[in-house]
Amino acid sequence: MLRREGWEVNAKRIYRLYTEEGLIVRTQKRRERAQRQRIPSGQAVRPNQKWSMDFVAQRLADGRWIRVLTVVDQFTRECLLLYADTALSGEKVAVALDAVVAGRGAPQSITVDNGAEFASKAMDLWAYQNNVHLDFIRPGRPVENGYIESFNGRLRDECLNVEVFFTVADASRKLNHFRDDYNHHRPHSALADRTPAEFAALCSGGNDGEPTALENAARFPHFPRTTATARDRICAPVSSLLLETIT
């Protein structure tokens, strides 16, 4: 711009005058992001193979903010965890996941965004110790974690926007009630109008760790294929199970 106005430009002099006038634009150093795949990771074909994880924010009645850690199973659509706290670090996320893994085992991978908590050393250590691959989506591409985004939208519309949370304990109680209702009483169109718990029990022969998983399963008849083995039926993808129900 100075050259276009006819000024004789000396880079060092310009820089000195620029700094003396306090005109330096301080650019924020880019944060190093965790390594992530650039190829599609593929869909889950059996329960507990792939999870999705994210955060949602909510305000308490007194104005304080809390964060809710949400975890879903990509195959069965089960909500595995709703954990609320005023602050959620990588260490707290790892502790919360330990409780889920203790009840149902560790998945092969967990799809997450590039948040500081998921890319932390604590989560990296947890993933290494549990032999879990953290599948980071590309920045600005939430559609690559569509399972959790869809669930978070339903959580927002059906729970967070209609409930009043007075304390963290109150929020945890109401979130657990929503989780139980979602898993055991909400039929899912992608699961042939079964609830996530019913579908999980169907795929695992009724051994999914939930005592009430089969409470309503009798009203959803299952027609097994005559040419397929029991192992094929357990590990069949969702599309095959839908075809069984239709036929």
Side-chain angles (χ1 to χ4, degrees), residues 48-212:
N48 216 42
Q49 180 186 10
K50 292 176 178 289
W51 296 356
S52 287
M53 183 165 58
D54 198 9
F55 292 108
V56 293
Q58 179 65 12
R59 190 188 293 269
L60 298 179
D62 59 6
R64 292 181 299 157
W65 284 96
I66 63 172
R67 303 184 74 191
V68 181
L69 174 66
T70 60
V71 183
V72 299
D73 187 304
Q74 294 185 12
F75 185 76
T76 65
R77 308 299 204 276
E78 290 175 284
C79 174
L80 307 180
L81 179 66
L82 289 176
Y83 179 72
D85 204 343
T86 53
L88 287 173
S89 61
E91 291 81 1
K92 289 185 177 181
V93 172
V95 172
L97 290 176
D98 280 335
V100 182
V101 171
R104 61 185 291 132
Q108 289 186 1
S109 66
I110 304 179
T111 304
V112 296
D113 59 24
N114 292 272
E117 299 84 0
F118 300 143
S120 64
K121 293 182 179 179
M123 277 302 301
D124 188 53
L125 177 61
W126 180 90
Y128 174 78
Q129 292 175 341
N130 291 273
N131 196 27
V132 175
H133 172 66
L134 294 179
D135 187 9
F136 291 92
I137 64 174
R138 289 176 291 177
R141 300 292 181 89
V143 69
E144 295 182 359
N145 202 5
Y147 293 99
I148 198 68
E149 293 295 335
S150 175
F151 173 80
N152 287 347
R154 178 170 294 188
L155 174 65
R156 175 70 62 185
D157 294 337
E158 300 179 9
C159 181
L160 301 183
N161 288 347
V162 298
E163 295 282 358
V164 177
F165 303 109
F166 297 97
T167 62
V168 175
D170 180 61
S172 298
R173 180 180 59 83
K174 293 175 179 177
L175 288 170
N176 286 332
H177 176 76
F178 172 84
R179 173 177 172 268
D180 180 75
D181 183 68
Y182 175 84
N183 285 339
H184 296 93
H185 303 286
R186 303 287 186 91
H188 202 297
S189 60
L191 306 178
D193 287 332
R194 292 182 173 92
T195 66
E198 290 169 350
F199 184 73
L202 176 66
C203 293
S204 59
N207 182 25
D208 69 333
E210 294 286 348
T212 59

Side-chain angles (χ1 to χ4, degrees), residues 31-51:
R31 184 180 61 191
E32 295 183 1
R33 299 185 182 274
Q35 183 179 5
R36 50 194 177 271
Q37 295 179 343
R38 294 291 184 177
I39 58 177
S41 59
Q43 294 184 345
V45 296
R46 63 179 181 273
N48 216 42
Q49 180 186 10
K50 292 176 178 289
W51 296 356

